[in-house]
Amino acid sequence: GEHHSVVFFSLEQPREQIFERMLAAESGVGLEDIRTGVFIANPKDVEKIAKARETLSHVFENIHVDDAPAVSSSYISSVARQQYFEKGQIGLIIIDYLHIMKLGERNLVEALGDAVKDLRALGRELKCPVLLLSQLSRQPETSTTLGEGDKRVRRRPELSDLRSSGEIEQSADVVLFLHRESYYDASGFVPDVDEVEVIVKKNRNGRIGITTLNWIPSIMKYKDYDDSPW
């Protein structure tokens, strides 16, 4: 079928790291092995990497990664429009992430709100979805009492945890939260295969609810949920 381009604004990571993550997820070779070059000593891993590169070749041709740091919403709009005129219809715009955009010296809440509205307008103009990553306020750890003698920590994020601006919630068509219970493990233990909840907290044109995926941190990949994946 027809491949529409993806425009990815990575304000925090250089484009090389984005492509390394894609390579790890596709090949199954550990991200650290790819970054350090250790995989070269293993012929099977070299073969996996070569096959993954071939599979991803068309993806690399259709993804434009802009890794300029601290860019403004006007810069993002300008680059996206340029890609639209050069390559035609854009399939998706990704911004990683809102809170490190260049927002000027104005009131933070107002500046964030204006940036969100600008990016929503950009999506409408170019007729494509805009995926905007946002930080949380780090407050979903408040204790809640469930009943007499039954107290637990509420860790699942709520819409009120979206950091700094109610405009994020108001402008978004869909709000998704990713929640891993192991993130709060005081020991710092991370399982080889973790469970992550995808919480659909707002959905203007559909249902809300929770679904579960498996997260494999070594290769930075999400997979369909399996409670005994290996």
Side-chain angles (χ1 to χ4, degrees):
E2 185 180 357
H3 295 291
H4 292 158
S5 61
V6 172
V7 185
F8 189 161
F9 295 91
S10 179
L11 283 68
E12 195 169 35
Q13 294 186 87
R15 60 167 59 88
E16 292 79 8
Q17 291 185 10
I18 302 298
F19 290 135
E20 285 170 348
R21 287 181 174 221
M22 293 171 66
L23 204 54
E26 180 64 30
S27 67
V29 177
L31 180 60
E32 282 304 307
D33 289 352
I34 292 174
R35 286 183 172 170
T36 59
V38 170
F39 76 93
I40 294 174
N42 187 329
K44 287 186 178 179
D45 284 350
V46 172
E47 186 178 342
K48 289 178 182 177
I49 292 290
K51 187 176 292 186
R53 283 185 183 278
E54 185 177 347
T55 302
L56 289 171
S57 60
H58 72 281
V59 176
F60 293 152
E61 291 173 1
N62 286 281
I63 182 169
H64 174 82
V65 178
D66 186 303
D67 56 5
V71 298
S72 64
S73 57
S74 59
Y75 174 89
I76 288 172
S77 297
S78 176
V79 172
R81 290 187 188 106
Q82 182 180 352
Q83 289 295 307
Y84 179 84
F85 290 127
E86 288 181 3
K87 297 187 176 180
Q89 182 63 49
I90 294 174
L92 176 65
I93 297 171
I94 304 171
I95 298 104
D96 183 15
Y97 59 95
L98 172 63
H99 292 87
I100 54 175
M101 286 175 55
K102 185 177 181 180
L103 299 169
E105 303 297 325
R106 297 176 301 132
N107 175 279
L108 177 61
V109 173
E110 290 181 4
L112 283 168
D114 287 346
V116 171
K117 285 187 282 190
D118 287 348
L119 295 170
R120 177 176 175 81
L122 177 66
R124 291 174 64 88
E125 176 189 337
L126 300 185
K127 297 181 175 60
C128 73
V130 175
L131 178 60
L132 176 62
L133 279 71
S134 171
Q135 277 191 335
L136 297 182
S137 60
R138 301 291 186 184
Q139 293 177 351
E141 301 175 45
T142 308
S143 295
T144 56
T145 302
L146 302 179
E148 187 177 351
D150 183 9
K151 197 172 186 179
R152 68 172 175 83
V153 174
R154 178 188 67 80
R155 296 193 176 102
R156 286 195 183 101
E158 301 289 340
L159 288 171
S160 58
D161 295 316
L162 285 169
R163 185 176 166 189
S164 303
S165 178
E167 188 63 48
I168 304 171
E169 175 189 349
Q170 185 175 329
S171 289
D173 290 316
V174 179
V175 176
L176 301 175
F177 292 120
L178 298 179
H179 172 69
R180 287 185 298 112
E181 193 66 27
S182 67
Y183 178 85
Y184 300 94
D185 189 332
S187 70
F189 172 73
V190 179
D192 291 340
V193 180
D194 204 355
E195 292 182 8
V196 57
E197 292 179 342
V198 181
I199 304 167
V200 184
K201 209 64 183 178
K202 177 184 179 182
N203 189 357
R204 215 184 285 270
N205 299 307
R207 294 186 298 172
I208 61 173
I210 300 175
T211 189
T212 306
L213 296 174
N214 283 133
W215 165 245
I216 308 174
S218 64
I219 60 173
M220 311 298 285
K221 184 172 185 176
Y222 293 97
K223 297 186 74 173
D224 289 342
Y225 179 67
D226 183 346
D227 57 6
S228 56
W230 302 119

